[in-house]
Each structure stands twice: as C-alpha cells, then as structure tokens.
Amino acid sequence: ALPFFPKSAWAMYKKGNPDDANVEAAINEWRGSDFHTGEQYKTEYTLLYRDQSPFNDQQQATEFMHWSDKVFGSLFRIREDL
C-alpha cells in the first residue's frame, strides 16, 4: 500500500518545510479533532490500517514523507521562490 494521505501531507506542508514539528500537523490531520473528522476515518484507510496509525511504523512514516515530498514538495518550493 502506498502510504500517502493527501490531507495530512497538505497540512504538513502548509506549516512549512517538513520537520518533526510539521509532521505533528500531519498526524493531527490524520487523527482529526472534535471539529473535523480525521483522514484515518476514510473507509479505505479504515480497511487498510485497521485502527493502526501508519505514523507509528517508522518505514511507513518514512515512505509518507517521501511521497509527500514527491507530490507537494515541488509545489511549495516553487511558491517560496515567488
């Protein structure tokens, strides 16, 4: 399975360059809050991860960072240059 979660990745990049503090934004988007449903509750992720957070698995977290950079990294780097 490809560990890429677009809403979580977007939340991370909106905070700036991905680092430990900004990864926390991705995790918060994944979990959700009292005010919005987290990405983890999407049907496909519920079936795939069975109530386990992919952020708890180092390999999955690393792959999430890789794919997040592939999808959103260039976009945000270009935005910074404008």
Side-chain angles (χ1 to χ4, degrees):
L2 178 67
F4 176 70
F5 321 108
K7 289 183 179 182
S8 297
W10 184 257
M12 178 178 64
Y13 271 93
K14 281 191 336 188
K15 292 281 187 178
N17 289 328
D19 58 21
D20 290 342
N22 296 338
V23 170
E24 195 65 34
I27 293 169
N28 290 338
E29 183 65 37
W30 173 259
R31 291 180 183 152
S33 70
D34 292 340
F35 305 105
H36 79 281
T37 303
E39 203 168 11
Q40 71 177 336
Y41 295 107
K42 290 183 74 172
T43 305
E44 58 271 29
Y45 298 143
T46 301
L47 289 171
L48 182 61
Y49 291 106
R50 309 252 180 215
D51 297 324
Q52 300 295 315
S53 174
F55 293 100
N56 292 339
D57 179 306
Q58 185 60 44
Q59 181 180 355
Q60 294 247 347
T62 300
E63 288 183 34
F64 167 75
M65 295 294 288
H66 169 78
W67 289 108
S68 296
D69 187 59
K70 289 280 189 191
V71 174
F72 292 127
S74 297
L75 172 68
F76 277 84
R77 283 188 286 279
I78 289 170
R79 266 182 54 179
E80 289 174 352
D81 292 339
L82 295 178

